[in-house]
Amino acid sequence: MTTVILAEKPSQARSYVQAFQKSKKKQGYYTVSDPVLPENTLVTYGLGHLVELATPDKYNQKYQQWALSNLPIFPNKYKFIVPTDKKKQFKVVKDLLTKADTIIVATDSDREGENIAWSIMNQAKINLKSKTIKRLWINSLEKDAILDGFKNLKDGWAYYPAYKEAQTRQISDWLVGMNGSPLYTLLLKQSGVRGVYSIGRVQTPTLYMVYQRDRTIKNFKPEPYFELNAEILANQQKFVAKLDPYQRFKDEAGLITFMQAKHVQKGSQAGLIKDVQKQDKKRASPQLFSLSSLQSEINKRYHASASDTLQAVQNLYEAKLLTYPRTDSNYITEQEFNYLVENLNGYLGFLSKDVSLNHQEPNKRYVNGKKVQEHHAIIMTKTVPTQEKLSKFPALEQRIYNLVLRTTLAMFADPYEYEETVIFTSIGDAVFKATGNVPKNQGWRVLFSDYKTEKPEEETTLPLVEVGQSISANITPDQKMTKPPVPFTEGTLITAMKTAGKTLDDEEAQSILKDNEGIGTEATRANVLDVLKKRGYLLTEKNKLHVSQQGITLCKAVELEPLLTSPEMTAKWEKALKQISAKKRTQENFLEQIKKFVEKLIADVPTQLTGSAAIKQQINHQQQAQKVAEVFLETPQVTVINKQKFYIVKPKQGEDFTLPKKWSSKTLGKTAIKALVTKGETSKLKGFKSKKGKSFDAKLKLDGHKLGFDFD
């Protein structure tokens, strides 16, 4: 009887192997033995996705060239292939799975992990019904967690619907991309715009959210408004009070009318303390981190990208210091809470300040097993590194570990306690309100006191006053201007994706997520942003995200098709996909909906683009931008145009000719090209290589329009 453990990648396999008593490395797998394992157990691994969806040209050679006449592309049966560079490892895995009596799926414990494992097993064409299939489901790569997981394996078939959900997401994205991208690219090309315009079920509405924000900011017209404030002097202490109920005035005339009606005048006047309210208040520590909330917070604090944060958390997971990263939960179960309590002293070693961790009973704000579905929040593992060991990690990983540690420990600390004082002051017939806080117990905030924040909280301390006390007030009408919304950052965009475009603060966002599906998944959102940046649609400037000219053209083109741009619609698709793993919807049902959507695009988009004045105007902008971008060099005698693989030299007099971008393995930069087109030759250049690979130095010269070497 042979048991094969299938890991997702080599590093994960090594973590499993290191937890077992004995192991021996072979080509593409390990033999292992341990009391928790059956005899004759092997560990093998994928290289991430060993199996991928085939591109359209693998179905029919006519798809090698994009053509509108080829659309829609709807395969009767979807083909999956093994990339050439992964075939060797796939053969190893296939041979082992074929011989196995029991297969233990030990890829990442999420939908994508199921997709990777079942895709490999299906591609291997083994009779799965003849095998016993088990599932390893763990939250940590620590030795104890791994061994405990192998002692308590789950039924592998119970996770098959999660694989069908992930595969459906994969195929639906393929259908939208492989049809939508050529459709928009070819139609825009007909209008005179070059470039590839990539369409995606999740990436397009994400890009459109940034485009809308950019457009709102650009079109924003600041408007003046007035506020009425009072600077109050009581007991030799000044404080500022605002009109209660708060009111802003569109113009000075409205303000003056209000002041006259309330018998209030500009400048100094007398007033009375109308009421004083004091209340002791408490503020709980922040919720524990899901991946999205951690990505958002790290971007806010350190301007790290979502993908860099995910990679850093993944590295800390593989180093056995943090729990599983791709989680959408902000809660842990009592099991995790108990081990955190046991290890509190070890975690405290990372703190430079003393903090009391008095609350060692579970609090439902953080500990709620009913709200943990697949994975709990990101917390520390039982493995506590030394300061010296942690200092060897990259800076971002150190920062993430410290932030997760402090946020997790905060739930054991006292709440932040303060006394809130509200003073109501009567001036004429108007009432002005001032609020001040006096900290009484910093509680959990001590954990973050040595962290720099962009805007530290200012505590306003108010004087001791009594009801009926006379005061002196100085009334000042303040003119202000309305402000536009702020640009997206990667952190706020990740939050917007998670809340399907609803702009909510983190705390509120977390509370609505169970009722409101976001767009994308915890595992895919960072990748979506990477794709948009890589394709040049999104630009990052000082941590702010903006849409490029090419991205604007794409957004103008798609905005007449609401299903492509609507985060709410994409969120409904995500909800429908999750119904597949819950066995409430079939793969066939969902893919039929996607096909109808694609057919609607193909039918409607050509007319939309030809009839849109906005897209025609943007195409003109894009063409002008392309022309400007193409000018590589401009001199009084010549203009050099930058093409993908060569330069076009356009003399003011004479015929155009071309120059290569590379010559004998050396890239020709602006200095060399300028010398050639103005002087006819360069100075001696280093870095040329002969056909035999030998380096040499030489001048370049132009003989007419022919480029050659000059060794003199």
Side-chain angles (χ1 to χ4, degrees):
M1 301 289 280
T2 302
T3 298
V4 173
I5 299 167
L6 177 57
E8 189 162 316
K9 52 189 174 181
S11 60
Q12 190 178 54
R14 283 195 298 273
S15 292
Y16 298 152
V17 168
Q18 288 164 5
F20 302 140
Q21 286 185 359
K22 292 181 181 178
S23 66
K24 192 171 183 180
K25 192 174 188 330
K26 304 281 187 177
Q27 189 66 42
Y29 69 99
Y30 299 83
T31 59
V32 291
S33 63
D34 192 275
V36 301
L37 301 173
E39 286 185 31
N40 196 22
T41 297
L42 310 168
V43 178
T44 190
Y45 47 85
L47 302 170
H49 287 270
L50 273 185
V51 179
E52 299 174 356
L53 263 172
T55 50
D57 58 288
K58 299 296 190 296
Y59 296 87
N60 191 317
Q61 283 193 340
K62 71 177 183 178
Y63 295 134
Q64 285 182 341
Q65 298 294 324
W66 281 3
L68 291 172
S69 58
N70 287 339
L71 304 179
I73 303 171
F74 291 158
N76 292 324
K77 189 177 180 183
Y78 295 94
K79 288 184 180 180
F80 292 85
I81 60 164
V82 178
T84 304
D85 61 339
K86 296 182 179 179
K87 283 184 176 178
K88 184 179 177 183
Q89 181 61 18
F90 176 76
K91 186 178 186 311
V92 171
V93 176
K94 178 182 177 179
D95 291 345
L96 292 175
L97 293 179
T98 303
K99 296 171 187 173
D101 299 288
T102 299
I103 298 171
I104 300 174
V105 175
T107 48
D108 277 355
S109 305
D110 58 18
R111 288 167 176 77
E112 203 50 47
E114 297 301 331
N115 192 13
I116 287 170
W118 288 91
S119 295
I120 291 170
M121 291 191 287
N122 286 330
Q123 193 74 7
K125 294 184 169 51
I126 54 178
N127 182 1
L128 293 173
K129 296 291 184 184
S130 69
K131 313 283 185 183
T132 300
I133 299 178
K134 296 288 186 181
R135 200 1 161 156
L136 174 73
W137 196 270
I138 55 177
N139 277 299
S140 163
L141 287 177
E142 292 174 290
K143 180 178 178 178
D144 289 351
I146 291 169
L147 295 177
D148 188 58
F150 277 103
K151 286 178 191 172
N152 298 284
L153 293 170
K154 301 176 183 294
D155 175 17
W157 286 101
Y159 294 85
Y160 185 77
Y163 152 62
K164 295 303 286 184
E165 178 199 324
Q167 187 192 60
T168 308
R169 180 179 279 106
Q170 184 183 14
I171 294 172
S172 64
D173 288 345
W174 188 96
L175 286 169
V176 173
M178 295 302 173
N179 287 283
S181 298
L183 175 68
Y184 277 94
T185 299
L186 293 171
L187 289 172
L188 286 169
K189 187 177 181 182
Q190 288 177 3
S191 301
V193 179
R194 294 194 307 277
V196 174
Y197 289 86
S198 174
I199 299 295
R201 186 182 59 85
V202 176
Q203 76 180 44
T204 302
T206 301
L207 179 68
Y208 196 74
M209 280 197 285
V210 184
Y211 165 71
Q212 282 185 307
R213 178 66 60 87
D214 276 357
R215 189 169 58 177
T216 301
I217 294 168
K218 183 180 178 182
N219 296 334
F220 184 82
K221 291 179 179 162
E223 294 181 356
Y225 67 93
F226 290 85
E227 286 182 345
L228 195 61
N229 297 322
E231 185 184 68
I232 295 168
L233 177 64
N235 303 336
Q236 280 78 51
Q237 187 176 336
K238 289 181 179 179
F239 61 94
V240 175
K242 292 185 178 292
L243 196 59
D244 184 60
Y246 174 77
Q247 193 173 341
R248 62 166 60 175
F249 305 90
K250 285 188 175 181
D251 51 41
E252 199 167 6
L255 175 65
I256 291 168
T257 302
F258 174 86
M259 291 174 72
Q260 289 172 343
K262 294 291 185 179
H263 305 103
V264 172
Q265 61 197 30
K266 186 178 177 182
S268 297
Q269 56 218 280
L272 288 174
I273 301 296
K274 182 182 180 184
D275 191 17
V276 180
Q277 298 175 0
K278 291 192 176 185
Q279 189 177 2
D280 287 336
K281 290 198 168 185
K282 296 180 179 180
R283 192 186 304 166
S285 69
Q287 285 194 292
L288 302 175
F289 284 120
S290 66
L291 176 60
S292 290
S293 62
L294 180 58
Q295 286 169 319
S296 185
E297 186 64 23
I298 291 293
N299 177 261
K300 179 181 171 185
R301 286 175 180 268
Y302 306 114
H303 296 178
S305 71
S307 60
D308 284 348
T309 298
L310 174 55
Q311 186 57 56
V313 184
Q314 178 71 24
N315 293 344
L316 289 164
Y317 168 66
E318 292 183 11
K320 307 174 177 59
L321 298 183
L322 290 184
T323 57
Y324 187 71
R326 294 171 181 83
T327 174
D328 63 358
S329 178
N330 302 93
Y331 298 90
I332 57 174
T333 71
E334 290 200 18
Q335 186 178 350
E336 289 79 50
F337 184 83
N338 291 337
Y339 87 64
L340 288 171
V341 171
E342 289 171 10
N343 289 280
L344 279 180
N345 287 336
Y347 302 135
L348 282 168
F350 283 90
L351 304 179
S352 56
K353 296 188 178 180
D354 289 335
V355 58
S356 300
L357 304 182
N358 301 320
H359 301 271
Q360 296 184 18
E361 293 298 321
N363 179 334
K364 280 199 171 180
R365 176 174 168 79
Y366 319 98
V367 187
N368 190 336
K370 291 178 182 177
K371 294 194 175 183
V372 178
Q373 295 176 342
E374 293 168 346
H375 295 283
H376 56 67
I378 299 171
I379 57 173
M380 304 81 70
T381 63
K382 298 172 191 173
T383 301
V384 184
T386 62
Q387 284 277 18
E388 184 185 4
K389 181 182 176 183
L390 191 66
S391 68
K392 293 176 182 175
F393 283 75
L396 182 60
E397 291 172 27
Q398 291 183 53
R399 286 168 167 172
I400 288 171
Y401 185 82
N402 267 298
L403 186 60
V404 171
L405 177 122
R406 289 162 193 263
T407 303
T408 306
L409 292 183
M411 71 175 168
F412 296 101
D414 291 336
Y416 165 56
E417 297 177 29
Y418 59 97
E419 182 186 70
E420 181 186 80
T421 301
V422 183
I423 298 176
F424 295 91
T425 306
S426 293
I427 303 167
D429 293 333
V431 177
F432 291 81
K433 174 184 174 183
T435 303
N437 296 334
V438 178
K440 298 177 78 176
N441 178 5
Q442 288 289 343
W444 59 266
R445 298 215 314 184
V446 172
L447 288 159
F448 300 91
S449 60
D450 53 353
Y451 266 49
K452 290 181 182 177
T453 55
E454 290 180 7
K455 286 187 179 178
E457 286 189 43
E458 291 182 9
E459 305 287 1
T460 304
T461 306
L462 299 175
L464 287 170
V465 293
E466 295 178 356
V467 175
Q469 179 179 336
S470 296
I471 55 90
S472 173
N474 184 34
I475 299 291
T476 55
D478 287 348
Q479 182 175 352
K480 296 184 176 181
M481 302 295 286
T482 55
K483 293 181 179 179
V486 296
F488 275 117
T489 65
E490 285 204 32
T492 55
L493 185 56
I494 285 278
T495 302
M497 291 173 76
K498 192 165 182 174
T499 59
K502 291 180 172 60
T503 50
L504 305 163
D505 62 47
D506 286 344
E507 198 74 17
E508 188 182 354
Q510 306 307 335
S511 67
I512 66 147
L513 287 181
K514 294 304 170 198
D515 304 313
N516 183 76
E517 299 295 340
I519 66 175
T521 66
E522 297 292 323
T524 61
R525 290 182 190 119
N527 184 56
V528 168
L529 299 193
D530 271 359
V531 167
L532 289 170
K533 288 189 292 183
K534 186 178 178 182
R535 288 181 175 150
Y537 303 151
L538 272 188
L539 305 173
T540 306
E541 298 170 8
K542 296 182 179 177
N543 202 43
K544 303 290 191 292
L545 289 174
H546 297 287
V547 180
S548 68
Q549 276 298 321
Q550 190 179 9
I552 292 171
T553 301
L554 179 55
C555 288
K556 290 272 189 188
V558 298
E559 67 185 347
L560 296 170
E561 191 47 70
L563 289 179
L564 258 183
T565 59
S566 165
E568 290 80 10
M569 186 62 216
T570 309
K572 286 179 182 175
W573 279 344
E574 294 292 352
K575 195 169 186 177
L577 281 163
K578 287 188 177 179
Q579 288 174 340
I580 294 171
S581 57
K583 298 184 179 179
K584 294 178 181 176
R585 185 183 293 263
T586 64
Q587 182 181 80
E588 292 71 26
N589 170 276
F590 185 85
L591 293 179
E592 280 305 312
Q593 287 186 317
I594 293 293
K595 285 180 183 178
K596 286 177 184 175
F597 166 61
V598 169
E599 286 171 340
K600 184 179 184 302
L601 285 183
I602 293 166
D604 295 350
V605 171
T607 309
Q608 289 172 354
L609 293 187
T610 53
S612 168
I615 189 63
K616 286 176 184 174
Q617 186 180 27
Q618 176 56 28
I619 285 169
N620 287 334
H621 284 314
Q622 178 88 0
Q623 287 172 330
Q624 293 302 317
Q626 285 176 346
K627 285 178 183 176
V628 171
E630 280 180 349
V631 177
F632 179 71
L633 183 66
E634 184 89 59
T635 74
Q637 301 87 12
V638 69
T639 299
V640 180
I641 303 298
N642 189 5
K643 294 295 181 182
Q644 191 172 358
K645 294 182 179 178
F646 56 89
Y647 299 111
I648 299 176
V649 182
K650 291 177 169 287
K652 296 293 188 280
Q653 294 180 338
E655 294 181 0
D656 295 356
F657 61 97
T658 63
L659 286 173
K661 287 193 170 183
K662 266 193 173 183
W663 189 257
S664 292
S665 300
K666 180 177 176 60
T667 300
L668 303 184
K670 190 167 281 189
T671 304
I673 296 295
K674 186 176 182 179
L676 284 170
V677 298
T678 56
K679 301 175 186 175
E681 67 176 12
T682 69
S683 57
K684 187 176 279 191
L685 302 175
K686 295 181 179 181
F688 294 109
K689 282 190 178 178
S690 68
K691 290 180 181 179
K692 293 183 178 180
K694 290 187 177 181
S695 296
F696 64 93
D697 305 340
K699 292 181 179 180
L700 287 176
K701 69 174 182 179
L702 276 175
D703 184 3
H705 294 163
K706 190 177 179 183
L707 185 64
F709 287 115
D710 182 357
F711 293 101
D712 293 337

